[in-house]
Amino acid sequence: MHKLQWTPELVRHVLKNPHIIGRMVGKDLLTPLHSQWIREVWGRPSGTHTGVQAHRGAYKTTAITEIGIIWWWLFHPQDRIALVRKTFTAAADSLSVIKQLMEREEIRELFRLVHGTAPEFTEKRADRLTFDFKRSVTKEGSLGAYGINNLPTGLHVDRALCDDIVTDDDRYSKAEREKTIRSTQELLSNIIDRGK
């Protein structure tokens, strides 16, 4: 296997087509449609919200969560991102995949080309990752994992990505629905910084 020869044109092409980042690390089923999803979710103007619905097995989490977060950091390395799933365990599992992807040489080389240096972890925990490209010192890391009903008081982020926060529990339990609604309202009104 030969080493990829990066050119400025190739870097621009990958940045415009984020699904290619996934294909670089073995996510071979990602397509240009996934790039559209990533750009739609992550490219929204600050202060606006969006959602994506697609069938089970459409690679929403792989594309939007795992690859999308990495792609976003290429443009916004200072941003504090909350990865919110129904449970902390599910969020931590996704965070673990992102950690592994950020350790891959292909991703490190892409960051090196875009930022002049490969990313290094300054904090690597089950619930939080912090990279040296995040220069501001805050209690929040580059990426934190949270369950929708366990968002800590005093948390502040620039972006929040909610992935499968509604489950069958919400479908069958009014109390669970109400809890999810209250937690989502708290996320939107108090956790995401104003204008972010």
Side-chain angles (χ1 to χ4, degrees):
M1 188 170 155
H2 67 284
K3 185 170 167 68
L4 179 64
Q5 295 298 313
W6 288 95
T7 64
E9 294 78 24
L10 182 56
V11 171
R12 280 193 295 276
H13 180 70
V14 168
L15 294 178
K16 287 181 184 173
N17 298 280
H19 78 282
I20 295 172
I21 297 169
R23 296 180 69 88
M24 286 171 27
V25 294
K27 310 285 186 182
D28 296 332
L29 298 175
L30 297 184
T31 68
L33 175 63
H34 295 102
S35 282
Q36 286 180 308
W37 291 352
I38 292 167
R39 288 189 307 266
E40 168 66 19
V41 169
W42 288 100
R44 303 292 291 183
S46 288
T48 63
H49 312 289
T50 190
V52 172
Q53 285 187 316
H55 64 82
R56 181 179 288 287
Y59 301 101
K60 298 177 299 295
T61 296
T62 299
I64 298 167
T65 301
E66 296 166 5
I67 302 305
I69 287 172
I70 293 169
W71 179 77
W72 184 255
W73 280 330
L74 287 165
F75 301 100
H76 306 277
Q78 296 295 326
D79 276 6
R80 303 159 297 164
I81 300 172
L83 172 52
V84 183
R85 300 203 64 185
K86 186 62 170 181
T87 66
F88 165 75
T89 302
D93 288 346
S94 291
L95 183 139
S96 177
V97 170
I98 293 166
K99 176 187 77 68
Q100 293 172 55
L101 292 173
M102 290 297 289
E103 292 171 333
R104 297 282 302 262
E105 189 53 39
E106 301 91 334
I107 300 296
R108 292 174 54 76
E109 180 64 19
L110 182 58
F111 271 80
R112 190 177 291 117
L113 289 164
V114 173
H115 293 287
T117 183
E120 300 296 338
F121 291 94
T122 59
E123 184 176 37
K124 193 186 319 185
R125 300 180 357 190
D127 65 337
R128 180 170 48 213
L129 301 176
T130 307
F131 294 93
D132 60 351
F133 54 69
K134 181 183 177 285
R135 303 228 189 278
S136 61
V137 178
T138 63
K139 67 182 179 300
E140 298 84 11
S142 301
L143 179 65
Y146 307 96
I148 186 64
N149 294 319
N150 303 101
L151 295 166
T153 301
L155 173 68
H156 296 283
V157 297
D158 300 297
R159 293 271 169 166
L161 180 70
C162 295
D163 185 356
D164 293 335
I165 61 170
V166 175
T167 65
D168 282 345
D169 292 341
D170 297 274
R171 183 175 175 192
Y172 299 116
S173 166
K174 181 177 181 180
E176 187 65 26
R177 277 194 306 277
E178 292 298 324
K179 201 159 64 167
T180 300
I181 290 166
R182 281 192 308 275
S183 294
T184 303
Q185 288 170 337
E186 173 70 11
L187 176 67
L188 293 171
S189 62
N190 293 325
I191 293 174
I192 302 171
D193 277 351
R194 192 182 319 270
K196 297 290 187 170

